[in-house]
Amino acid sequence: MVNDIEVSIKGSRVRREPESPSGSTKTAACLQRSELEHGRPGPSPCCLWTGACHDQPNEEVAGRDRESDPLIVVGDGNAVHEAKGRAEGQRQQRTDAAACRPRQSVSSSLLAIGQKAEAESGYRFEDLYGMINEEMLIECFHLLKRRAAPGVDGVTVSEYEKGLKGRIEELVQRLKDKRYRAQLVRRRYIEKTGGKLRPLGIPAVEDKLVQMAAKRVLEAIDEADFMESSNGYRPGRGPRQTTQKLQDRLFRGRVHWMVEADIEGFFEHIDHGWLQRMLAQRVNDGAFLRLVGKWLKAGVLEETGAVLHPETGTPQGGVVSPVLANSYLH
């Protein structure tokens, strides 16, 4: 592993209420300051309105609306019905608005964590384990590679998708009850340059799912700490961008020498104790740290059928392993 040491009723007048104070559909994300200061998402720090959801009008505005509402007369051939105010569809929007009450989205939570991490370099985050809920896991499922090899249980991503809602509900309940257990990691070897073999670890889909959630949480925190010169296994960065940066530096700057280095067997030799200490510098959530520990201690099922329990390392191929490796390096 090479890691850089880095959205008219005919004939009648209908007054339509603006969908937002600005006259357009309002989308807002209001993060409560108090929750940010405590470094945790809280039950509802983000208020989202989309389409049917509006700010509650004050009494003065509401009075003007009532005074200006015209009568709408609709003939159905038998009777004339009078309706005051807005069309039925708009009234129904208000009825349904309860479903859009302030509720936190996954992306807004992660954004808030990232902002807090950047603002306070030494802040330790709490209540991260509770972020791994149904909404988070459903999003994470769609981030998994669909063609990825199955783990020890033989279940593929496509197979896991059948009855996905029920599977995730059951998984979340086990997480809440602290009954979640990491499965063995299936070991496979791929050939490297020079004839050597690289050991890869393939977790079960369920473990990949929870690891993806933990990965997103850790990245939201650690991206504020990682060095700008670090490019390996980081969101929005890849070999092409890194090569371009290197090329620009070589051709436009004054470079006298360049060093290429490789940490041999890096993933296999990560010390679990030191890794947990490094994570704890930013994570003040025992349940979250223990969750990471379950993946570190999960056994490995070799191709021969033997089960190993390595005392060091994190499986290269695990979803959460890259961010753990970067945390260890930094």
Side-chain angles (χ1 to χ4, degrees):
M1 192 278 300
V2 178
N3 198 307
D4 296 304
I5 310 198
E6 0 209 3
V7 196
S8 76
I9 298 176
K10 188 174 182 180
S12 303
R13 291 178 62 247
V14 179
R15 178 183 179 278
R16 183 180 180 186
E17 180 188 26
E19 294 181 343
S20 75
S22 63
S24 60
T25 299
K26 179 177 181 181
T27 301
C30 310
L31 190 59
Q32 294 178 354
R33 179 183 177 88
S34 61
E35 294 296 340
L36 265 178
E37 292 175 347
H38 286 82
R40 55 180 180 265
S44 59
C46 178
C47 307
L48 294 177
W49 294 272
T50 56
C53 302
H54 307 283
D55 290 330
Q56 293 297 327
N58 59 38
E59 293 181 2
E60 181 182 354
V61 174
R64 289 202 304 268
D65 286 347
R66 287 193 296 269
E67 292 172 1
S68 62
D69 290 340
L71 291 176
I72 300 176
V73 181
V74 181
D76 60 3
N78 298 315
V80 174
H81 305 284
E82 292 187 357
K84 177 174 172 58
R86 299 161 182 81
E88 181 63 28
Q90 291 175 319
R91 291 201 300 270
Q92 185 62 41
Q93 285 184 341
R94 266 192 214 96
T95 303
D96 294 340
C100 300
R101 286 292 179 241
R103 179 183 178 186
Q104 183 161 19
S105 70
V106 173
S107 58
S108 62
S109 299
L110 297 175
L111 177 61
I113 289 175
Q115 291 173 340
K116 181 69 174 180
E118 188 171 358
E120 298 185 30
S121 60
Y123 191 86
R124 299 179 68 210
F125 291 83
E126 302 175 351
D127 301 335
L128 300 176
Y129 187 83
M131 292 184 64
I132 307 179
N133 52 25
E134 292 181 24
E135 184 180 9
M136 167 74 91
L137 291 174
I138 288 175
E139 279 196 15
C140 290
F141 177 80
H142 295 291
L143 296 175
L144 297 179
K145 297 179 180 179
R146 303 190 65 85
R147 291 188 174 184
V152 294
D153 56 4
V155 178
T156 65
V157 174
S158 297
E159 291 170 340
Y160 193 90
E161 190 173 19
K162 300 173 183 177
L164 179 62
K165 187 175 186 299
R167 288 180 185 267
I168 288 183
E169 288 176 350
E170 193 271 338
L171 173 58
V172 169
Q173 191 59 54
R174 279 191 282 124
L175 287 166
K176 289 180 179 179
D177 298 340
K178 307 299 190 294
R179 293 185 292 108
Y180 165 79
R181 298 291 182 270
Q183 300 183 56
L184 294 173
V185 176
R186 185 164 70 97
R187 178 78 82 199
R188 284 294 178 268
Y189 293 88
I190 62 173
E191 189 172 346
K192 297 171 57 177
T193 303
K196 294 184 178 181
L197 296 177
R198 183 193 303 277
L200 295 182
I202 307 174
V205 174
E206 180 178 272
D207 293 332
K208 291 179 181 178
L209 192 54
V210 186
Q211 286 186 23
M212 179 65 78
K215 169 181 176 288
R216 297 177 71 189
V217 172
L218 288 173
E219 283 182 342
I221 299 172
D222 291 342
E223 277 297 308
D225 299 333
F226 291 163
M227 299 173 64
E228 179 61 29
S229 57
S230 174
N231 292 283
Y233 303 113
R234 293 183 60 186
R237 307 189 183 206
R240 179 174 296 180
Q241 295 91 332
T242 304
T243 302
Q244 185 63 53
K245 288 167 63 175
L246 178 59
Q247 178 178 314
D248 291 344
R249 181 68 181 273
L250 291 174
F251 283 93
R252 298 181 184 181
R254 298 185 63 182
V255 178
H256 299 287
W257 46 267
M258 183 173 63
V259 176
E260 179 182 0
D262 183 16
I263 304 177
E264 184 177 1
F266 173 68
F267 280 90
E268 291 80 27
H269 294 93
I270 291 177
D271 185 279
H272 293 170
W274 276 109
L275 175 59
Q276 289 279 22
R277 293 187 194 102
M278 293 170 184
L279 293 177
Q281 292 181 11
R282 279 298 215 163
V283 177
N284 188 23
D285 185 341
F288 190 91
L289 293 174
R290 286 191 292 273
L291 179 63
V292 174
K294 290 180 180 181
W295 299 320
L296 296 175
K297 297 177 181 177
V300 177
L301 178 63
E302 291 282 355
E303 293 179 332
T304 60
V307 176
L308 305 178
H309 293 275
E311 296 182 358
T312 62
T314 179
Q316 189 171 0
V319 175
V320 75
S321 293
V323 69
L324 293 181
N326 272 335
S327 296
Y328 193 82
L329 281 175
H330 286 76

